[in-house]
Amino acid sequence: MAFCGKCGTQLGDGMRFCPNCGAPIEAQEQLNQNSQSSQNNATSQMNDIGAKIAGLSNTTDSTTDFNQQDIESNKVMAVLAYFGPLVLVPIFAASESKYARYHANQGLLLLILEFTYGVVQAILMVVLLANCQFNWNYGYFGGRGAIYNFISSVLGLAWIVVVVLMVLGIVNAVQGRAKELPVIGKFRLLK
């Protein structure tokens, strides 16, 4: 059932002009096709972004390489590996466990990423503070201070990536999976 795009009158099949306002129907059909085409393009772009995100989380899962008893008895050690400096606990306390060592490697990589990020963020903040003087009228919100606020906010939001990686590692450890973390998980520091 078609309707006139100009006045909304219901149209019969095969009509070329609206009986109420005289608007050509072909133009309306062309507009509907263009609208449908743009919706398909938007959906396609969203699917591409979703595919890219899914591709990041599609990492190697080597759970079958590990002994199930080792996995069950060392889950706590594997979880501890993702809590910053506590990565040392599974490195030294469960050095014989292949599963705990796997997650300790992932946690150590994450700790190095956290440390590197913290150093880079601190250096950038010092440089920004040196170049963005405090304005007594506006604080850091006026003039160059707005740049400082923007960059410091972006750097703070980038920390979410580290937190997401940590949560992924903890979830994998609790579920008894030996799945690499996205991006950093392919590197091996511990054998």
Side-chain angles (χ1 to χ4, degrees):
M1 183 93 26
F3 295 92
C4 176
K6 190 171 182 181
C7 69
T9 302
Q10 185 176 353
L11 304 172
D13 292 334
M15 295 182 109
R16 301 187 90 200
F17 295 96
C18 175
N20 190 33
C21 67
I25 304 303
E26 293 177 33
Q28 183 64 29
E29 290 175 3
Q30 183 67 29
L31 181 64
N32 288 341
Q33 288 175 354
N34 289 343
S35 174
Q36 184 67 25
S37 175
S38 65
Q39 288 175 352
N40 289 343
N41 286 340
T43 303
S44 174
Q45 288 174 351
M46 289 302 290
N47 288 341
D48 289 345
I49 292 170
K52 288 178 184 177
I53 291 172
L56 277 176
S57 65
N58 189 14
T59 58
T60 305
D61 188 349
S62 57
T63 306
T64 57
D65 297 344
F66 296 91
N67 181 350
Q68 193 61 31
Q69 184 180 3
D70 181 26
I71 291 172
E72 290 302 320
S73 62
N74 288 296
K75 278 186 181 179
V76 173
M77 290 293 178
V79 170
L80 285 176
Y82 295 100
F83 289 101
L86 291 180
V87 70
L88 297 174
V89 173
I91 288 175
F92 294 116
S95 60
E96 300 299 318
S97 169
K98 189 176 173 186
Y99 181 72
R101 200 119 175 110
Y102 176 86
H103 283 286
N105 180 72
Q106 301 283 308
L108 187 59
L109 289 167
L110 190 60
L111 179 63
I112 291 170
L113 176 68
E114 291 171 9
F115 180 77
T116 305
Y117 175 79
V119 168
V120 169
Q121 182 182 19
I123 291 170
L124 285 174
M125 297 311 290
V126 167
V127 169
L128 283 171
L129 278 173
N131 290 316
C132 298
Q133 288 84 22
F134 186 79
N135 184 330
W136 287 103
N137 293 325
Y138 302 107
Y140 282 114
F141 294 106
R144 291 185 287 176
I147 296 169
Y148 170 81
N149 283 336
F150 175 74
I151 293 175
S152 64
S153 297
V154 169
L155 288 172
L157 289 174
W159 186 254
I160 292 173
V161 172
V162 174
V163 172
V164 167
L165 289 174
M166 185 174 90
V167 169
L168 283 172
I170 292 169
V171 167
N172 286 337
V174 167
Q175 291 179 346
R177 294 188 336 205
K179 188 170 180 177
E180 293 177 352
L181 292 176
V183 182
I184 64 170
K186 59 186 167 207
F187 300 105
R188 297 284 176 259
L189 298 176
L190 302 174
K191 302 288 179 186

